[in-house]
Amino acid sequence: PTSGADRDSLNRLRLSAKEAEVLVKFAPESVTSYSGFSANTATLQSDDFERASIVHLATHGFADDETPARTGVMLSLFDESGNAQDGFVGLRDIYELRMNAELVTLSACDTALGRELAGEGLLGLTQGFMYAGARRVVASLWPASDRATAELMEHFYAGLLRDGLAPDAALAAAKVKLRENRRFRDPYYWSAFVLHGDWRPLD
């Protein structure tokens, strides 16, 4: 997890590109991948993003239950020329997005967390993306291991896109696969991610 004060010292997520490659492998004709410099705030406002049926964000996540405006995700901090840019996409920005996504996967730390509001529920990234139009959101309850999460996502999308499983079944099967791996047997590695929204098969 990363608080607002830690944003200047973000470590590189070396396996985030692998997660994008997994989507391309299982749905090569229908995936547009943005990584590196192209994973920027302009991408979130593009027609490609609005039309996307599956959105996978492998990045740093921020959950601030005291100041919800500091909750968000981080995209590229530099443009193609190496100039610094603001890559932070806050909760307010997310509420203003327009999406038609069947599924948004927030492959980052603490993305299922937020501030509990009486009568409103949890104010956080999950609610923000569903308000923007996502029908389902997969998000994490605690810090995510880069390597373990990359493997979990590969199993998840294999079940979802290759085997035709419903999202909840695909996620459950992916967790079983990780649990069977001696390296990632501890529940810390495989049980953080949960599905919100419609559990039925994608349209």
Side-chain angles (χ1 to χ4, degrees):
T2 313
S3 69
D6 297 326
R7 291 176 194 167
D8 293 334
S9 57
L10 294 176
N11 61 302
R12 181 182 178 189
L13 299 174
R14 298 185 179 277
L15 295 178
S16 59
K18 179 182 177 182
E19 294 184 36
E21 292 170 2
V22 165
L23 275 168
V24 173
K25 178 171 72 172
F26 292 121
E29 297 180 356
S30 57
V31 170
T32 301
S33 176
Y34 296 94
S35 58
F37 300 126
S38 64
N40 53 44
T41 53
T43 299
L44 295 187
Q45 299 168 349
S46 68
D47 291 341
D48 281 347
F49 183 82
E50 185 173 338
R51 291 192 299 262
S53 61
I54 296 178
V55 173
H56 182 90
L57 294 175
T59 184
H60 287 284
F62 308 88
D64 193 322
D65 58 4
E66 295 184 358
T67 309
R70 294 168 64 86
T71 293
V73 295
M74 187 67 74
L75 300 183
S76 178
L77 294 171
F78 299 93
D79 63 20
E80 294 181 355
S81 300
N83 299 313
Q85 61 183 10
D86 184 7
F88 180 66
V89 181
L91 194 55
R92 180 176 298 176
D93 303 315
I94 293 167
Y95 268 88
E96 293 177 353
L97 295 174
R98 292 295 174 264
M99 308 179 66
N100 292 292
E102 293 286 340
L103 172 70
V104 171
T105 301
L106 302 175
S107 181
C109 297
D110 299 333
T111 49
L113 305 182
R115 181 175 182 177
E116 190 74 33
L117 297 179
E120 295 291 335
L122 197 67
L123 181 60
L125 291 172
T126 298
Q127 185 189 53
F129 277 101
M130 296 191 78
Y131 180 89
R135 294 171 181 80
R136 307 164 183 84
V137 176
V138 171
S140 62
L141 293 166
W142 55 77
S145 161
D146 191 23
R147 186 169 298 278
T149 300
E151 184 165 330
L152 179 75
M153 292 303 165
E154 181 164 7
H155 292 308
F156 173 56
Y157 286 113
L160 188 71
L161 301 176
R162 184 192 65 195
D163 302 335
L165 297 178
D168 62 332
L171 186 58
K175 291 179 179 182
V176 170
K177 288 286 188 181
L178 242 66
R179 191 176 62 193
E180 293 172 346
N181 183 329
R182 294 183 63 182
R183 182 175 185 180
F184 302 127
R185 181 180 299 167
D186 193 299
Y188 166 80
Y189 292 110
W190 51 263
S191 61
F193 286 91
V194 291
L195 174 70
H196 302 261
D198 195 346
W199 56 269
R200 294 170 296 181
L202 303 188
D203 294 341

